[in-house]
Amino acid sequence: MSAPVSSLGYALLGLLEGAPLSGYDLRRIFAQTAMKTYSDSPGAIYPALKKLERQALVQGRVEKGSGLRRRRLYRPTPRGREALRAWLRRPVNREDVSRGLQELMLRFAFSEPVLGRAASVRLLDSLEAEIAAYLPSLREQLAGLKASMPLSGRLAFESGLRTYESLLEWSRYARAAFRKMR
Amino acid sequence: MSAPVSSLGYALLGLLEGAPLSGYDLRRIFAQTAMKTYSDSPGAIYPALKKLERQALVQGRVEKGSGLRRRRLYRPTPRGREALRAWLRRPVNREDVSRGLQELMLRFAFSEPVLGRAASVRLLDSLEAEIAAYLPSLREQLAGLKASMPLSGRLAFESGLRTYESLLEWSRYARAAFRKMR
DNA sequence: TAGCCCATGTAAGGAGTTACATGATTAG
DNA sequence: CTAATCATGTAACTCCTTACATGGGCTA
């Protein structure tokens, strides 16, 4: 019974699945790329890597090579690879869409290289289903609150609605992209 | 020198500005409305309220009235009202847009009832400026990584781009809504 | 040889999570 | 009178934040 893996933990596992990386590499990725959700602070990354290692999900070893500085490169273990896959295979649920979409998008980003196109499309399936189920309840809520809300509150709410609507459109676009590549 | 106020703290202050509420009321708001970003757990709300009270930003008092259960109703103090205003007046910066838009939207939602339309429009101004400055760097990043990225990674990135593009459109729509109401 | 980037780490503290505890009031 | 709901709270734990510490190697 391994302890639960945090969102940051999965992000690290996913990146390591692509290539062995050091803590410093990972920090640079979070600092420089659009993965701004995750902190690049050493106080976050290094302890997280240690925890994954304690859980036997990754293994770090100091790079031996032409007189370089000590650099601990981490690789996923078989158990780590399996944990990542299980995470990527989880169908999208209400929580995933109602509470921040960035973790979901990270999952989607990793899905194809790790599990293959079919799994990515399955993620899109469940994403569309969840959004389709969520949108009406949001629209209802808006209709109910419209009268009592200040204008800027209503507009902020509508911005949320638009986010989900445009995500649905994106999902269909993503589907088409997968079809084209077959 | 008051200690910093957390995102949750501002959310509470903003809601209390509208009407005096109890911890339980606030939990229900977070649980039932679309403000799913914030937790409705008692272990989050009650300590946060106590902290705000320690900082003299809110004041709680037990409702006296027709034989009711004890209910501690909180109201913002003058200092609390000023802290909320200062938060709402902060112009949008890169961090605000690159790292989760929900807090930003909360600020916008409170802006009009607390500060008035002009302040809401100023927020839109700085939001549009930030997005306009951020988008090109994202597009560049995408162009650079396109080749080395798996398809689902590219698509996830594009979903982020679309989010910002549609936020720009929303901002113009929001502007128009304010003009109409003049 | 000074200064800068590479690279890893720790310590203290803040804030949220889960789970538990407690008790009052209302509905059936 | 029993269950559900209202209402507030605490304790233990985890995780992240900020700030500091350390030292190797490269470049001017």
Side-chain angles (χ1 to χ4, degrees), chain B residues 43-70:
Chain B
I45 306 280
Y46 291 110
L49 284 169
K50 281 200 165 175
K51 194 198 167 199
L52 289 175
E53 193 162 31
R54 267 205 320 280
Q55 297 174 301
L57 302 178
V58 304
Q59 231 226 331
R61 56 171 56 184
V62 174
E63 189 185 60
K64 39 191 94 176
S66 45
L68 290 172
R69 319 170 192 78
R70 76 193 198 283

Side-chain angles (χ1 to χ4, degrees), chain B residues 4 7 9 22 27-28 38-39 46 50 55 69 73 80 86-87 102 104 109-110 125 138 164 175:
Chain B
S7 177
S22 70
R27 287 184 61 199
R28 280 212 327 270
Y38 302 100
S39 157
Y46 291 110
K50 281 200 165 175
Q55 297 174 301
R69 319 170 192 78
L73 286 185
W87 180 63
Q102 273 145 325
L104 187 57
F110 288 142
D125 290 340
L138 284 177
Y164 291 117
R175 244 172 229 292

Side-chain angles (χ1 to χ4, degrees), chain A residues 50-122:
Chain A
K50 281 201 166 173
K51 194 198 166 196
L52 289 175
E53 193 161 30
R54 268 205 320 279
Q55 296 174 300
L57 301 178
V58 305
Q59 233 226 330
R61 57 171 56 184
V62 174
E63 189 185 60
K64 41 191 92 176
S66 43
L68 291 172
R69 321 172 189 77
R70 75 194 197 284
R71 250 167 61 88
R72 232 180 140 62
L73 286 185
Y74 287 90
R75 293 161 217 278
T77 63
R79 276 192 59 185
R81 240 172 262 126
E82 195 33 60
L84 177 65
R85 273 150 209 259
W87 180 64
L88 293 175
R89 274 196 288 257
R90 289 219 277 263
V92 177
N93 61 35
R94 180 69 141 255
E95 265 274 279
D96 293 326
V97 299
S98 73
R99 191 170 174 158
L101 298 161
Q102 273 145 325
E103 184 179 323
L104 187 59
M105 277 303 151
L106 188 70
R107 250 160 82 195
F108 180 78
F110 289 142
S111 66
E112 191 229 338
V114 174
L115 294 175
R117 263 170 240 176
S120 298
V121 172
R122 273 196 299 277

Side-chain angles (χ1 to χ4, degrees), chain A residues 4 6 8 39 41-44 51 67-69:
Chain A
S6 70
L8 172 60
S39 156
S41 83
K51 194 198 166 196
L68 291 172
R69 321 172 189 77

Side-chain angles (χ1 to χ4, degrees), chain B:
Chain B
M1 283 295 92
S2 52
V5 176
S6 70
S7 177
L8 172 60
Y10 285 118
L12 297 173
L13 267 178
L15 290 169
L16 294 176
E17 182 81 20
L21 296 167
S22 70
Y24 195 79
D25 294 333
L26 291 160
R27 287 184 61 199
R28 280 212 327 270
I29 289 173
F30 291 140
Q32 292 169 4
T33 75
M35 298 181 65
K36 292 282 203 288
T37 329
Y38 302 100
S39 157
D40 64 325
S41 83
I45 306 280
Y46 291 110
L49 284 169
K50 281 200 165 175
K51 194 198 167 199
L52 289 175
E53 193 162 31
R54 267 205 320 280
Q55 297 174 301
L57 302 178
V58 304
Q59 231 226 331
R61 56 171 56 184
V62 174
E63 189 185 60
K64 39 191 94 176
S66 45
L68 290 172
R69 319 170 192 78
R70 76 193 198 283
R71 254 167 60 88
R72 235 182 137 61
L73 286 185
Y74 287 90
R75 295 162 215 276
T77 63
R79 276 193 59 186
R81 242 171 261 126
E82 195 33 60
L84 177 66
R85 272 149 209 258
W87 180 63
L88 293 175
R89 274 196 287 257
R90 290 217 277 262
V92 177
N93 61 35
R94 180 69 140 256
E95 264 274 280
D96 293 327
V97 299
S98 73
R99 191 170 175 159
L101 298 161
Q102 273 145 325
E103 184 180 323
L104 187 57
M105 277 303 150
L106 188 70
R107 249 161 78 195
F108 180 77
F110 288 142
S111 65
E112 190 231 338
V114 174
L115 294 176
R117 265 168 238 176
S120 299
V121 173
R122 273 196 299 277
L123 262 188
L124 293 178
D125 290 340
S126 57
L127 173 63
E128 288 180 24
E130 273 307 327
I131 296 182
Y134 191 36
L135 268 176
S137 80
L138 284 177
R139 291 209 184 91
E140 244 176 83
Q141 230 186 101
L142 176 60
L145 274 63
K146 212 167 190 171
S148 64
M149 251 190 198
L151 177 54
S152 65
R154 204 198 79 208
L155 289 167
F157 201 119
E158 288 179 4
S159 142
L161 274 176
R162 279 164 175 247
T163 298
Y164 291 117
E165 285 161 355
S166 84
L167 199 61
L168 262 185
E169 273 170 52
W170 167 85
S171 180
R172 290 190 266 266
Y173 159 77
R175 244 172 229 292
F178 280 116
R179 270 197 302 276
K180 229 175 282 181
M181 287 227 78
R182 226 174 348 191

